[in-house]
Amino acid sequence: MAALQAQRLFLTASSSSSSSCAGRPRRGATCRAALRVPAGLNTAASSADGSLGLKLEWVDPRVVATTSAPAEDAVAVDKLRAIAEAAADRAEMHDIIGRQRDNWNHLLLHSTNSLTLAASVMAALAPAAPSVLALKASAGALLATAAVTMAAAGKIQPSQLAEEQRNATRLWRQLERDVRAVLDLKTTPLTKADVQDAMDRVLALDAAYPLPLLPGMLEKFPKKMEPARWWPRRRQASNKKLVAYGGAKSRSFGRRGGNGWTQELEDEMRGLLRVLKAKDEHQYLKFGKALLDVNRGLAVAGPALAGTAAVAAAFIGGGEAGAWASGTAVLCGALAAAANTVEHGGQVGMVFELFRNCAGFYRKVQEEIEACLGEADADRRENGEVFQTKVALLLGRSTSDLRQFRRMASASFKDEDITDFAGKLF
C-alpha cells in the first residue's frame, strides 16, 4: 500500500467571540495526514498554491512483472541462432563424411575383388609353371590380404556408414530449417523451453548418428533389431493402452468447435495407431531382422573363404596333393569374391539401415499420435484438422483415406484382421 504524507497544512484559528480572541495572537497549527491508496496507483502531492494537490496515475502491474521478458527473449534468440549454426555445421560434416565412406565402399569392393581374382589365377597356374614357389607365395600373400580387407569391411560396413551419414545430413538440415523458421516467424516471446526443445533434438541426433568411426560407431550387427531413433523421448509418457483402445476420451467435444477435434477424428487416429504398429513397423522390423542374418553370414563367409584359399595356396606343388591344393585355393578364392560382391556390391548394410530408418519413421508417427491423444482436453491439443493433414502427408495419403481406419479403433477388431498398411510413402 502506498502512503502519502501531506505537507504542512496551516489552519487559522477562528474565535467563537470577538472578546475571547481579541488579544490572542494568531498561530499556525501543523497537521500531518497519512493517506492509504490501493496498489497500482502512483501518487504525488504538490502545494504550489498553498492548497493540497493530489495526482493519481494508474500503473499496470503486468508491465512491471514482464520487464525481464525482453531480456529473456533476446537470450533465447541468441541461443537458437547458435543452435541453427551448429546444425548447419553438423549437416556439412555429415555430408562430407558420407561421401568419403561411400568412396570407401567402392574402393574396398573393387580392390578386394581384384586381389582375390588375381590370386585365384596365380593359384590355378602355379602347378604347371616353372616358378611354382613364386606363384604360390604371391597367391598366398594376395589371398591373406584380401581376407583381412574383407574382415575389416565386414566389421565397419561402409555402405551402411554412408547411409547413416545421408540420413544424418537430411535430419540436421531439417533441424536447421525448423529453428530458423521459429526465429523468423515467432509471434510470442521465446523462452527457455524453446531452447531446451532444440537442444534435446541436437543431442538426440548426435546419439543416433555419431561422427566417429572407432570408437563410437553404431553396432552393425545388433543382437536385437530396433527402429532407429533420432528424436528426443517425451518427458511424460502417455497411457498407450488407453490411447490405442479409446479409453481416454476428450472432455472438450461438447464445446463450440472442439479445436477441430471430433470423436470420428479421434477414432481415425486410434485405428491408424494400431495399423502402424501391427503392420508397417512390424514389416520393416521383420525384413530388417532377416537381412541382418544374411549380412552376418556374408560378413563371416567372405574372410573365411579367402583365409582358406590362402592356406591352401601354401600347399600348391607337384603331384596330386598339389593339384588338389591349387583347386581348393581357386574355388575358395572365387567364392570369397562372390560373397564380397553380394555383401558390398549389393550394399546389404545400406538396405538394412534403410529398413531400420523406415521402422523408426513409423515409430515416430506413432509417438506423435499417442502424445496428441494422450491430452484429454482437446483445447490444449494441436488443431485437429491441421494434425490430420500432417499425418496424412507423412503417410502419403489424403485426409479422406484415413476414414477407413475408424473401425479399427475398436477393441473387438483383431490385429489379425488388418490387411492394409497405413503408409503409402514407403
Side-chain angles (χ1 to χ4, degrees), residues 22 39 44 59 68-69 71 79 82-84 134 181 211 242 244 267 276 299 314 335 354 368 394 409:
V59 178
S68 61
K79 289 182 178 180
I83 292 174
L211 281 168
L242 292 177
D267 291 339
L276 284 169
L335 291 176
L354 182 63
E368 289 177 355
L394 288 173

Side-chain angles (χ1 to χ4, degrees), residues 8-12 27-31:
R8 288 186 176 182
L9 185 62
F10 293 95
L11 300 176
T12 304
R27 298 172 57 188
T30 302
C31 175

Side-chain angles (χ1 to χ4, degrees), residues 174-254:
Q174 183 184 58
L175 175 59
E176 181 194 2
R177 289 195 303 269
D178 292 345
V179 173
R180 294 198 184 278
V182 170
L183 292 172
D184 294 339
L185 304 177
K186 70 185 184 77
T187 56
T188 57
L190 299 174
T191 62
K192 294 181 179 178
D194 299 316
V195 178
Q196 188 61 46
D197 289 342
M199 282 298 300
D200 289 343
R201 291 181 63 182
V202 169
L203 296 177
L205 272 175
D206 279 335
Y209 301 105
L211 281 168
L213 181 62
L214 289 174
M217 72 173 183
L218 297 178
E219 178 60 45
K220 298 301 179 287
F221 301 102
K223 296 181 180 179
K224 185 179 179 181
M225 173 67 180
E226 291 286 348
R229 186 179 188 90
W230 59 85
W231 63 96
R233 297 185 183 276
R234 299 184 182 275
R235 295 181 177 85
Q236 294 181 353
S238 59
N239 192 327
K240 297 183 179 181
K241 185 175 180 180
L242 292 177
V243 169
Y245 295 104
K249 300 295 184 181
S250 173
R251 302 190 300 266
S252 303
F253 289 155

Side-chain angles (χ1 to χ4, degrees), residues 63 118 122 261 290 368:
V63 175
M122 291 180 183
W261 285 93
E368 289 177 355

Side-chain angles (χ1 to χ4, degrees), residues 345-421:
Q347 299 192 3
V348 181
M350 182 273 292
V351 179
F352 167 74
E353 183 65 21
L354 182 63
F355 285 167
R356 204 172 69 91
N357 282 294
C358 289
F361 172 81
Y362 287 121
R363 175 69 62 86
K364 185 174 185 293
V365 176
Q366 290 177 54
E367 291 191 6
E368 289 177 355
I369 296 176
E370 288 172 353
C372 194
L373 297 182
E375 176 56 61
D377 189 357
D379 290 338
R380 298 180 63 182
R381 301 177 184 171
E382 184 178 0
N383 182 273
E385 296 179 2
V386 175
F387 185 75
Q388 182 188 34
T389 302
K390 288 182 178 180
V391 172
L393 290 172
L394 288 173
L395 300 177
R397 288 181 176 271
S398 65
T399 54
S400 59
D401 288 342
L402 302 183
R403 297 172 186 169
Q404 61 180 305
F405 299 105
R406 291 179 187 172
R407 59 191 179 91
M408 302 175 190
S410 174
S412 60
F413 195 93
K414 299 180 180 179
D415 291 345
E416 293 77 12
D417 298 332
I418 300 175
T419 57
D420 195 13
F421 293 90

Side-chain angles (χ1 to χ4, degrees), residues 74-311:
V75 172
V77 168
D78 291 339
K79 289 182 178 180
L80 286 178
R81 284 176 179 164
I83 292 174
E85 292 298 328
D89 186 58
R90 294 279 216 294
E92 186 67 21
M93 287 191 291
H94 281 283
D95 183 50
I96 294 172
I97 293 176
R99 289 198 300 267
Q100 178 196 51
R101 292 176 181 176
D102 188 52
N103 288 335
W104 285 1
N105 184 57
H106 294 290
L107 293 173
L108 288 172
L109 170 66
H110 297 307
S111 60
T112 304
N113 282 350
S114 299
L115 290 172
T116 307
L117 295 176
S120 298
V121 172
M122 291 180 183
L125 298 176
S131 55
V132 179
L133 183 61
L135 283 177
K136 74 175 186 179
S138 300
L142 291 178
L143 287 169
T145 304
V148 174
T149 306
M150 287 182 188
K155 175 65 176 178
I156 65 175
Q157 293 292 316
S159 64
Q160 186 174 346
L161 289 173
E163 180 65 19
E164 290 173 6
Q165 302 308 312
R166 284 191 288 265
N167 286 326
T169 301
R170 178 181 63 86
L171 293 170
W172 278 112
R173 287 173 178 168
Q174 183 184 58
L175 175 59
E176 181 194 2
R177 289 195 303 269
D178 292 345
V179 173
R180 294 198 184 278
V182 170
L183 292 172
D184 294 339
L185 304 177
K186 70 185 184 77
T187 56
T188 57
L190 299 174
T191 62
K192 294 181 179 178
D194 299 316
V195 178
Q196 188 61 46
D197 289 342
M199 282 298 300
D200 289 343
R201 291 181 63 182
V202 169
L203 296 177
L205 272 175
D206 279 335
Y209 301 105
L211 281 168
L213 181 62
L214 289 174
M217 72 173 183
L218 297 178
E219 178 60 45
K220 298 301 179 287
F221 301 102
K223 296 181 180 179
K224 185 179 179 181
M225 173 67 180
E226 291 286 348
R229 186 179 188 90
W230 59 85
W231 63 96
R233 297 185 183 276
R234 299 184 182 275
R235 295 181 177 85
Q236 294 181 353
S238 59
N239 192 327
K240 297 183 179 181
K241 185 175 180 180
L242 292 177
V243 169
Y245 295 104
K249 300 295 184 181
S250 173
R251 302 190 300 266
S252 303
F253 289 155
R255 301 180 184 179
R256 182 180 179 183
N259 194 24
W261 285 93
T262 62
Q263 189 59 55
E264 291 76 13
L265 180 55
E266 271 204 1
D267 291 339
E268 288 179 13
M269 294 296 112
R270 296 183 200 278
L272 192 62
L273 190 60
R274 290 188 64 188
V275 176
L276 284 169
K277 185 174 182 180
K279 296 293 291 185
D280 297 78
E281 181 184 341
H282 177 72
Q283 172 188 244
Y284 282 106
L285 290 178
K286 181 179 68 175
F287 289 167
K289 186 177 184 303
L291 198 64
L292 179 62
D293 295 336
V294 172
N295 195 27
R296 184 181 287 112
L298 291 172
V300 173
L305 289 169
T308 303
V311 173

